[in-house]
């Protein structure tokens, strides 16, 4: 008989345990006995603090108040009983590690199970012996039990399914090679399968991720704002992109949005109904330019339009749709639409990887594809709530300069009452490896729409650059209703963990959730 009760333990009726979904037969949970009482039937029941709740359970044997027990949950003739196994001495204060060791001994588990039991005990998790054993095997596979324990803590704390598949996905996301590197390896592995339709489609998608068009939107804006002397040539190039010249009022609005760097307004003025189709047309037009197939006038204007040294607009658009392109929202979209056939026509990387695994026969390429899928699944699983704090974590290839490295972002904050993430109270930690500077970590805190940015790197030039850019950054924040309190550059040794580790760190997010 189990029911959530107030911490003051009021004397109210308790429903039968069969109505509870929290504790099920076959599971076990560690709890401390708060009180033992007689029931009207003559049976004994205990009020037990277990799994963060105060519950009442029928007992099979007398228990000592204040003692820590492992409760194995059984059902007999429709009645739920909790079989108690002592995890502490009657007259001593219970020790967490002692309780873990006794639990291990009671279930005859190997030492490799200690990290799993330890985190299950801390989280007050109700788990079956089979679930603990499966997680133990998954931890053994890592060969790093200490590092794996952080992932286990996250899994139990978030009350994610206690399965080895969930653990392996989270582990892959935390410790896997950068996605850019993994895609590069997979691309090389499927080179010999280029004639296979699934391999060919996957190879094209990976090429987009490793070499996205970082001047596509700038080129479109340049053509739309062309002067009268270039109007005819610009019109021809715009037609190839599926665009048309803008009326004068929209041209003026576009020019103002470009000058003020209001990227969302720029995209609205472009009027793109299908961004993926636009990018396909851009790639075809650029290929025609590269092969010399464009008329001379068009080639000259196109060369000027695509030659941008500031791809910020294209980066903005790429970042905005990165999660969709990776497939991190596929499962949620499938729940929403009901059928795979009703998902957006442009397949995500995840869907292409699944199709490749189903249709391809190359074992080496399959292993590389499965490793990437595990990472993507881990990112999707990691996103969600942890008490008052929500997490969003994403990592994807971002080519800057002459190399492609992962841009990783971990967002922590609260969720508004109704669902949307609260942009006024959050913390964002991001990491990017640049060609000359190497790894740079940026930590941004937002409290009551006041923003503070910390950059972690040992190059002294960054402090000078940050001071020079601060007025512009402040202006951009003000345009969106935020105030910049400052930008500082700190030593790398004082940096927070990178996003892949930060998410699993058991530390305060420094987000004011109670405000």
């Amino acid at each position: 008989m189990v029911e959530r009760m107030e911490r003051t333990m009021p004397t109210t009726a308790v429903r039968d345990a069969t109505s509870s979904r929290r504790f099920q037969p076959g599971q076990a949970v560690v709890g401390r006995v708060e009180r033992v009482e007689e029931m009207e039937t003559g049976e004994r029941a205990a009020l037990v603090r277990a799994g963060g709740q105060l519950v009442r359970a029928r007992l099979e044997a007398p228990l000592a108040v204040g003692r820590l027990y492992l409760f194995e949950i059984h059902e007999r003739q429709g009645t739920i009983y909790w079989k108690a196994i002592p995890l502490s001495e009657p007259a001593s204060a219970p020790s967490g590690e002692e309780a873990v060791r006794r639990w291990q001994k009671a279930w005859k588990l190997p030492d490799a199970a200690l990290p799993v039991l330890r985190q299950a005990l801390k989280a007050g998790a109700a788990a079956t012996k089979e679930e603990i054993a499966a997680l133990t095997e998954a931890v053994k596979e890592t060969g790093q039990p200490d590092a794996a324990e952080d992932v286990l803590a996250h899994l139990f704390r978030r009350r994610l399914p206690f399965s080895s598949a969930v653990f392996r996905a989270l582990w892959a996301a935390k410790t896997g090679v950068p996605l850019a590197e993994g895609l590069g390896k997979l691309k090389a592995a499927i080179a010999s399968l280029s004639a296979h339709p699934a391999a060919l489609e996957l190879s094209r998608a990976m090429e987009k991720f490793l070499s996205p068009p970082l001047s596509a939107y700038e080129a479109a804006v340049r053509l739309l704002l062309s002067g009268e002397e270039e109007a005819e040539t610009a019109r021809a190039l715009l037609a190839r992109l599926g665009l048309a010249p803008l009326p004068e009022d929209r041209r003026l609005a576009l020019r103002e949005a470009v000058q003020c760097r209001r990227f969302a307004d720029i995209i609205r003025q472009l009027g793109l109904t299908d961004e993926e189709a636009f990018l396909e047309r851009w790639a075809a037009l650029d290929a025609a330019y590269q092969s010399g197939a464009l008329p001379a006038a068009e080639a000259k204007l196109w060369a000027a339009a695509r030659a941008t040294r500031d791809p910020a607009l294209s980066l903005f658009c790429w970042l905005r749709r990165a999660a969709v392109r990776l497939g991190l929202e596929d499962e949620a979209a499938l729940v929403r639409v009901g059928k795979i056939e009703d998902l957006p026509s442009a397949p995500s990387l995840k869907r292409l990887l699944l199709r490749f695994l189903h249709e391809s026969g190359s074992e080496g390429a399959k292993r590389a594809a499965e490793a990437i899928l595990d990472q993507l699944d881990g990112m999707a699983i990691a996103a969600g709530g942890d008490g008052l704090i929500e997490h969003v974590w994403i990592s994807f290839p971002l080519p800057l300069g002459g190399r492609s490295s992962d841009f990783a972002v971990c967002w922590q904050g609260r969720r508004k009452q109704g669902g949307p993430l609260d942009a006024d109270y959050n913390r964002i930690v991001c990491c990017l490896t640049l060609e000359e500077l190497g790894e740079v970590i940026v930590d941004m805190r937002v409290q009551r729409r006041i923003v503070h940015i910390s950059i972690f790197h040992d190059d002294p030039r960054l402090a000078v650059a940050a001071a020079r850019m601060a007025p512009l950054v402040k202006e951009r924040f003000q345009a969106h209703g935020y105030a910049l309190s400052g930008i500082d550059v700190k030593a790398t040794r004082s940096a927070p963990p990178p996003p892949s580790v930060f998410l699993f760190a058991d530390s305060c997010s420094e987000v004011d959730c109670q405000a």
Side-chain angles (χ1 to χ4, degrees):
M1 126 182 348
V2 179
E3 180 179 83
R4 179 184 296 274
M5 300 178 66
E6 299 297 332
R7 291 187 180 275
T8 55
M9 297 168 54
T11 55
T12 56
V14 181
R15 293 173 298 167
D16 192 86
T18 53
S19 66
S20 171
R21 297 182 180 180
R22 174 70 189 279
F23 303 107
Q24 298 294 325
Q27 293 179 330
V29 65
V30 175
R32 180 181 289 103
V33 176
E34 300 275 342
R35 191 171 75 195
V36 177
E37 57 187 25
E38 293 281 346
M39 300 178 65
E40 293 180 358
T41 60
E43 296 177 297
R44 293 174 64 82
L47 292 179
V48 179
R49 184 78 61 186
Q53 300 181 16
L54 191 62
V55 299
R56 180 181 291 162
R58 287 187 177 92
L59 304 176
E60 292 183 319
L63 300 183
V65 174
R67 197 172 182 183
L68 202 64
Y69 292 90
L70 172 67
F71 293 97
E72 295 180 341
I73 304 169
H74 301 280
E75 182 178 7
R76 188 166 63 245
Q77 296 180 346
T79 301
I80 301 294
Y81 287 89
W82 285 26
K83 178 183 177 182
I85 301 172
L87 297 182
S88 65
E89 296 297 333
S92 62
S95 160
E97 197 59 30
E98 175 194 0
V100 169
R101 290 284 181 179
R102 289 182 178 231
W103 188 354
Q104 175 201 12
K105 183 178 179 180
W107 278 7
K108 298 180 174 60
L109 295 170
D111 286 348
L114 291 174
V116 184
L117 297 175
R118 189 177 297 117
Q119 294 307 319
L121 175 64
K122 286 183 180 179
T128 66
K129 186 175 181 179
E130 291 74 20
E131 289 170 335
I132 297 294
L135 285 172
T136 298
E137 288 302 312
V139 169
K140 286 170 64 176
E141 290 173 8
T142 69
Q144 304 177 53
D146 291 341
E149 196 158 352
D150 290 340
V151 177
L152 288 168
H154 182 85
L155 184 150
F156 283 116
R157 187 171 62 246
R158 290 269 316 282
R159 301 198 184 280
L160 296 170
F162 305 154
S163 76
S164 57
V166 170
F167 171 83
R168 289 188 181 98
L170 291 172
W171 178 257
K174 179 184 178 184
T175 65
V177 301
L179 204 55
E181 182 179 338
L183 289 173
K185 290 180 179 179
L186 178 57
K187 186 180 176 182
I190 66 175
S192 60
L193 306 173
S194 57
H196 195 286
L200 183 60
E201 190 174 10
L202 177 59
S203 182
R204 288 172 178 166
M206 289 190 296
E207 185 61 33
K208 288 181 181 179
F209 268 98
L210 295 173
S211 302
L214 291 185
S215 62
Y217 294 87
E218 286 78 7
V221 169
R222 167 70 171 81
L223 294 175
L224 288 168
L225 296 179
S226 296
E228 292 183 5
E229 67 281 1
E230 300 170 328
E232 185 176 345
T233 307
R235 187 179 295 107
L237 291 172
L238 287 170
R240 293 176 182 266
L241 294 174
L243 300 174
L246 299 177
E248 188 59 25
D249 59 336
R250 287 186 58 190
R251 269 174 57 89
L252 292 174
L254 175 60
R255 189 181 301 277
E256 181 183 357
V258 170
Q259 290 173 347
C260 297
R261 296 178 71 83
R262 297 197 303 265
F263 295 154
D265 288 345
I266 294 173
I267 298 304
R268 279 193 290 271
Q269 293 302 329
L270 291 179
L272 298 173
T273 56
D274 188 339
E275 290 190 45
E276 294 299 328
F278 164 72
L279 292 175
E280 291 288 346
R281 296 189 191 99
W282 185 94
L285 177 53
D286 201 54
Y289 165 76
Q290 298 285 359
S291 66
L294 291 181
E298 292 183 21
K300 181 180 178 181
L301 182 55
W302 182 249
R306 70 190 296 277
T308 177
R309 297 187 62 184
D310 180 11
L313 175 60
S314 290
L315 281 174
F316 167 82
C317 296
W318 186 252
L319 293 173
R320 189 181 57 164
R321 293 181 56 81
V324 174
R325 289 190 172 98
L326 287 173
L328 300 184
E329 300 178 0
D330 278 1
E331 286 80 2
L334 184 58
V335 170
R336 191 166 56 250
V337 301
K339 297 180 181 178
I340 294 179
E341 295 78 10
D342 294 333
L343 289 173
S345 56
S348 66
L349 178 63
K350 180 183 284 190
R351 276 186 276 164
L352 293 175
L353 286 167
L354 289 170
R355 180 187 170 195
F356 174 76
L357 288 174
H358 179 70
E359 298 182 8
S360 172
S362 169
E363 291 303 319
K366 279 188 174 182
R367 284 193 297 270
E370 286 172 347
I372 295 173
L373 272 173
D374 283 342
Q375 287 180 269
L376 297 178
D377 286 341
M379 286 185 226
I381 292 170
D386 181 5
L388 291 173
I389 297 298
E390 296 275 339
H391 309 275
V392 175
W393 171 37
I394 184 173
S395 179
F396 55 90
L398 187 64
L400 291 174
R403 61 177 295 174
S404 181
S405 64
D406 275 17
F407 179 66
V409 180
C410 182
W411 180 96
Q412 284 190 331
R414 66 181 192 178
R415 190 176 291 277
K416 293 181 179 179
Q417 185 179 1
L421 301 176
D422 192 341
D424 297 345
Y425 297 87
N426 58 74
R427 182 181 183 186
I428 301 172
V429 175
C430 57
C431 178
L432 179 64
T433 302
L434 300 175
E435 192 169 15
E436 293 187 13
L437 293 175
E439 184 180 79
V440 179
I441 293 179
V442 179
D443 186 358
M444 185 177 83
R445 295 176 178 86
V446 183
Q447 296 289 124
R448 304 176 189 271
R449 301 183 76 85
I450 300 174
V451 182
H452 187 87
I453 300 174
S454 296
I455 302 171
F456 296 89
H457 200 276
D458 295 326
D459 192 318
R461 296 174 296 176
L462 274 181
V464 178
R468 188 170 60 247
M469 293 294 294
L472 177 60
V473 176
K474 183 176 183 179
E475 180 184 325
R476 297 272 62 78
F477 274 119
Q478 285 177 340
H480 294 280
Y482 291 84
L484 177 68
S485 67
I487 303 176
D488 52 44
V489 179
K490 301 179 179 180
T492 302
R493 66 177 180 275
S494 61
S500 61
V501 179
F502 180 80
L503 179 70
F504 299 100
D506 185 16
S507 59
C508 177
S509 69
E510 301 185 31
V511 175
D512 180 10
C513 296
Q514 305 300 329

